[in-house]
Amino acid sequence: MKDGMDLTPQEIVAYLDDYIIGQHEAKKTIAIALRNRWRRLQVSADIQEEITPKNILMIGSTGVGKTEIARRAAKVKGFPFIKVEASKYTEVGFVGRDVESMVRDLVATSIHLVENEEKEKNKEKIEELIVERIAKKLLPALPSGVSADKKQEYALSFAKIKDKVRSNALDQQKIEIELHKKHLEGDFNNMPPEIVKVQESLIKVFNKEGEKVTKEMTIKEAKEALRHDVSQAILDMEMVQREGLKRAAQSGVIFIDEIDKIAVGVKEGGRQDPSKEGVQRDLLPIIEGSTIHTKYGPISTDHILFIAAGAFHLSKPSDLIPELQGRFPLRAELESLSEESMYKILTQTKTSIIKQYQALLAVEDVDLVFEPEALRELAKLSYLANQNAEDIGARRLHTTIEKVLEDISFSASEYKGERFQITKEYVSQRLQNLVDNVDATRFIL
């Protein structure tokens, strides 16, 4: 596959088809929205400022692929992406998370993304410096004034030690290693800027810059422990933070799940829930475009793409305040999963749950095999369970498969080196009671 940024909408949809069954219209809408973010960055600066993202409202039952479509599409394009739940936020002045924290979370995710990219670019250099620091601990430097012969002999020995460290031959040997003391850290992203400044001042008082601590550990552990120190020494962290802030502002995607949970709706007795409307009103300026202060600097939300999603079983999109409805001009409705969709999820997705369980049991040398008819039965009974109780979409497959494989998972060690075949009859036997018994079906949500 070519670089994610170069993918066309058709290629993004084709990629999503490997992981999510159906929902073509929703995939298409997301793919176009993400491609437009890339297109915008290619035009002249004066036009760039005028092109704002067209936010998307995804409507569909739980478990039909709303989050997965958005998450995987953003991931393949390399855009900073976070998922938040609307129901976790509270109106300003109430105890709980304020809506601005989602933007700070996006910035932190974006910076982490850029940092990982820079680490990957400098991977060989970082690994070589780690090896060198460990080798210096194993073979301390020669005192000054030694002869040229001694220096040459030392250089040869040092090279051999480095080779051994590099090849993991000394991984279990213990050494004392000096590491920078980690600063006290907290969840500053969710705090107002003025509180962050106070916290950072306290950190400077209690944690001196450059303070180190010596620890004893194996060389294998030391390699991992030194990675942070060496990366910080090599990478230009100011550049990383600047680029992360810029990328969050220009390419960031915030997925707001459960938006229907803050839809106002009229309660019994004709009353509305004012706190839900308060959260919507707090969301509005962020989605419309405003400047949020973070510990890394201010960020404008004008060009962040917002994707909201909800089942809207007990409310409808029109229950959202009109101003917020207007900020989500694109709608994508997702279909409920049919029995055939369930079967395709089991058999056609790239990392299907069947493949996952086969890989897990292969660890214990158990060859897990599903007969084709067994998979058909599993899809059928999972679909019926959704019809008889709450429809939780593809998530039902996780619970039904777990029930089918419960005994073999528990006693896997007894089947070591054997082939365990799952038949249609075995699936029926394990699941029929749950499908027939509505209360039991609800129990295995």
Side-chain angles (χ1 to χ4, degrees), residues 44 87 117 153 391 429:
S44 59
S87 55
E117 287 175 6
E153 188 182 323
D391 186 350
Q429 178 193 344

Side-chain angles (χ1 to χ4, degrees), residues 225-236:
L226 283 167
R227 190 159 279 111
H228 174 75
D229 272 22
V230 171
S231 298
Q232 295 292 310
I234 288 178
L235 302 185
D236 181 350

Side-chain angles (χ1 to χ4, degrees), residues 93-123:
F94 289 82
V95 175
R97 301 196 81 193
D98 69 277
V99 292
E100 289 187 358
S101 66
M102 67 176 67
V103 180
R104 298 189 184 106
D105 288 343
L106 179 69
V107 170
T109 298
S110 183
I111 288 171
H112 186 62
L113 185 69
V114 175
E115 185 178 352
N116 283 342
E117 287 175 6
E118 290 300 308
K119 282 179 181 177
E120 191 58 34
K121 285 180 193 172
N122 293 278
K123 187 177 180 180

Side-chain angles (χ1 to χ4, degrees), residues 248-375:
Q250 300 299 323
S251 307
V253 180
I254 295 180
F255 183 91
I256 307 174
D257 202 5
E258 297 185 345
I259 193 82
D260 55 319
K261 299 285 178 67
I262 60 165
V264 176
V266 179
K267 289 183 168 182
E268 288 182 21
R271 297 183 61 190
Q272 294 181 335
D273 186 344
S275 65
K276 290 181 179 180
E277 185 174 333
V279 175
Q280 291 183 61
R281 295 207 176 276
D282 288 347
L283 270 174
L284 195 58
I286 294 173
I287 296 174
E288 285 181 333
S290 57
T291 299
I292 305 296
H293 293 280
T294 77
K295 64 179 288 190
Y296 304 104
I299 177 175
S300 167
T301 66
D302 288 359
H303 299 289
I304 292 173
L305 174 65
F306 290 88
I307 303 172
F312 290 99
H313 289 319
L314 303 175
S315 59
K316 49 191 182 296
S318 58
D319 287 330
L320 295 167
I321 59 173
E323 302 95 318
L324 195 59
Q325 290 179 53
R327 296 309 298 174
F328 290 92
L330 302 183
R331 303 286 167 94
E333 293 199 29
L334 287 86
E335 306 156 3
S336 293
L337 299 178
S338 64
E339 183 181 324
E340 184 63 21
S341 299
M342 291 284 210
Y343 177 71
K344 288 179 178 177
I345 289 168
L346 289 174
T347 57
Q348 294 182 16
T349 51
K350 201 167 187 177
T351 53
S352 76
I353 192 168
I354 296 296
K355 292 174 184 172
Q356 292 171 31
Y357 273 98
Q358 286 172 328
L360 285 171
L361 287 170
V363 171
E364 302 209 41
D365 197 20
V366 177
D367 182 15
L368 184 65
V369 178
F370 282 82
E371 288 184 355
E373 287 306 308
L375 294 174

Side-chain angles (χ1 to χ4, degrees), residues 57-271:
L57 179 63
M58 300 176 81
I59 303 163
S61 301
T62 183
V64 295
K66 300 186 296 292
T67 307
E68 197 68 359
I69 289 171
R71 183 181 70 83
R72 285 197 180 272
K75 185 179 178 182
V76 76
K77 290 294 283 184
F79 293 149
F81 172 90
I82 62 160
K83 175 198 169 189
V84 298
E85 292 178 7
S87 55
K88 295 289 193 292
Y89 294 91
T90 58
E91 187 180 355
V92 169
F94 289 82
V95 175
R97 301 196 81 193
D98 69 277
V99 292
E100 289 187 358
S101 66
M102 67 176 67
V103 180
R104 298 189 184 106
D105 288 343
L106 179 69
V107 170
T109 298
S110 183
I111 288 171
H112 186 62
L113 185 69
V114 175
E115 185 178 352
N116 283 342
E117 287 175 6
E118 290 300 308
K119 282 179 181 177
E120 191 58 34
K121 285 180 193 172
N122 293 278
K123 187 177 180 180
E124 289 182 12
K125 191 175 179 183
I126 290 169
E127 294 302 320
E128 195 53 35
L129 279 174
I130 289 171
V131 167
E132 195 161 313
R133 280 186 62 174
I134 292 171
K136 281 180 179 176
K137 274 289 173 187
L138 294 169
L139 192 67
L142 291 171
S144 56
V146 297
S147 66
D149 287 346
K150 285 282 186 187
K151 286 180 181 177
Q152 188 176 2
E153 188 182 323
Y154 176 84
L156 288 170
S157 299
F158 191 68
K160 286 179 182 176
I161 290 286
K162 281 173 69 176
D163 285 342
K164 285 185 177 181
V165 173
R166 205 178 286 114
S167 67
N168 305 326
L170 304 175
D171 271 4
Q172 299 312 310
Q173 186 171 327
K174 288 201 169 185
I175 57 168
E176 284 193 346
I177 203 80
E178 207 173 47
L179 300 166
H180 279 94
K181 193 172 183 181
K182 287 189 178 179
H183 295 318
L184 294 171
E185 293 178 352
D187 190 11
F188 295 164
N189 285 332
N190 302 320
M191 298 179 183
E194 58 273 16
I195 300 296
V196 170
K197 286 177 183 174
V198 173
Q199 291 280 6
E200 289 178 339
S201 298
L202 288 171
I203 283 173
K204 287 176 183 175
V205 171
F206 291 107
N207 291 284
K208 296 174 184 175
E209 290 292 329
E211 189 177 346
K212 293 185 178 182
V213 60
T214 301
K215 290 186 176 180
E216 186 183 59
M217 59 184 75
T218 64
I219 287 177
K220 185 178 181 179
E221 292 167 339
K223 286 177 185 175
E224 199 54 48
L226 283 167
R227 190 159 279 111
H228 174 75
D229 272 22
V230 171
S231 298
Q232 295 292 310
I234 288 178
L235 302 185
D236 181 350
M237 291 309 294
E238 284 188 15
M239 180 281 292
V240 167
Q241 290 175 10
R242 280 197 311 273
E243 177 61 24
L245 201 62
K246 177 184 172 185
R247 204 179 289 187
Q250 300 299 323
S251 307
V253 180
I254 295 180
F255 183 91
I256 307 174
D257 202 5
E258 297 185 345
I259 193 82
D260 55 319
K261 299 285 178 67
I262 60 165
V264 176
V266 179
K267 289 183 168 182
E268 288 182 21
R271 297 183 61 190

Side-chain angles (χ1 to χ4, degrees), residues 337-339 342 378-388:
L337 299 178
S338 64
E339 183 181 324
M342 291 284 210
L378 192 52
K380 174 188 168 186
L381 295 179
S382 296
Y383 173 74
L384 287 173
N386 274 346
Q387 298 303 301
N388 290 343

